[in-house]
Amino acid sequence: MIWYIARGAGVMALLMLTVSVTLGIATRQGKPLAGLPRFAVATVHRNASLIGLGLVLTHVLTLLFDSYANLNPIDLLVPFVGSYRSFWLGLGTLAFDLLLIVLITSLNRARLGLRAWRAVHWTGYAIWPIALAHGLGTGTDATQLWMGVLAVGCATAVATAATWRFVT
C-alpha cells in the first residue's frame, strides 16, 4: 500500500509541478493568458506549487517507510549517496533540496527583497526537468505507455509555454 501511495504522489507531483512551471513561464511574459487576469494565473501558479510540494513531501516521506525502496533519511537529503539507482535517486534528492530552497526563500521573500528572491526562484526552472528525469530513471512505471504519454504531455506543456514566452 505504501508503495502505491509513493508512486501516485510522485506522478501527481509531476503533474502539479508541470502546471506550476507552465504558469510561471506564462505569467513571466506579462501578457494576458487566455483572457484571465494575471493575479488569477499567479494564484493558480502558487496553489499548484503548494499542492505539488505537498505531494513531493508525501512521495518522499512514504518512501521512508517502504521496505522495497529501503531508503534512509540521508538518501532523501544528500544527493547521489543512496544505494538504489543512486544517480536517478540522486536527481530526485537534488530536485527536492532545490524545492526546499525555493520554498524557504519564498516564505522569506519580504526579507530577501525581490531581486534576491527572483534569483533563487529561477532555480524552479531547473527543478522540473531534474524531477522529470528522476521519475523516468527510477520510477517503476517509467516503461509503461501511460507514463510515457504523461511525460511527453508534461514536456510538451512546458516547451509550449517556453516557446510562447520567447517567441511572442
Side-chain angles (χ1 to χ4, degrees):
M1 175 69 137
I2 291 174
W3 183 243
Y4 293 111
I5 293 170
R7 288 168 53 200
V11 170
M12 292 306 297
L14 174 63
L15 285 172
M16 294 311 295
L17 293 175
T18 298
V19 169
S20 176
V21 168
T22 302
L23 291 177
I25 292 169
T27 58
R28 187 71 183 113
Q29 178 67 10
K31 296 179 182 178
L33 183 63
L36 298 171
R38 265 186 89 177
F39 79 89
V41 177
T43 300
V44 175
H45 164 71
R46 187 177 317 109
N47 290 340
S49 298
L50 290 172
I51 292 168
L53 175 66
L55 288 163
V56 167
L57 288 172
T58 300
H59 175 67
V60 167
L61 293 175
T62 54
L63 286 173
L64 276 177
F65 300 102
D66 181 54
S67 60
Y68 179 78
N70 197 26
L71 301 176
N72 62 57
I74 296 298
D75 297 336
L76 304 177
L77 295 173
V78 180
F80 310 108
V81 299
S83 59
Y84 177 76
R85 298 181 182 173
S86 60
F87 176 74
W88 300 111
L89 176 65
L91 288 178
T93 304
L94 178 61
F96 179 62
D97 291 347
L98 292 172
L99 188 62
L100 291 178
I101 291 168
V102 170
L103 170 69
I104 291 166
T105 56
S106 291
L107 293 173
N108 291 293
R109 181 178 175 175
R111 290 185 190 148
L112 289 174
L114 184 61
R115 288 182 79 171
W117 171 81
R118 187 173 287 147
V120 174
H121 201 76
W122 273 88
T123 310
Y125 293 117
I127 294 169
W128 183 85
I130 293 170
L132 177 63
H134 159 73
L136 294 175
T138 195
T140 54
D141 295 315
T143 59
Q144 301 295 315
L145 176 63
W146 67 268
M147 187 61 195
V149 169
L150 182 75
V152 168
C154 289
T156 301
V158 171
T160 300
T163 301
W164 177 75
R165 176 178 174 194
F166 293 113
V167 171
T168 60

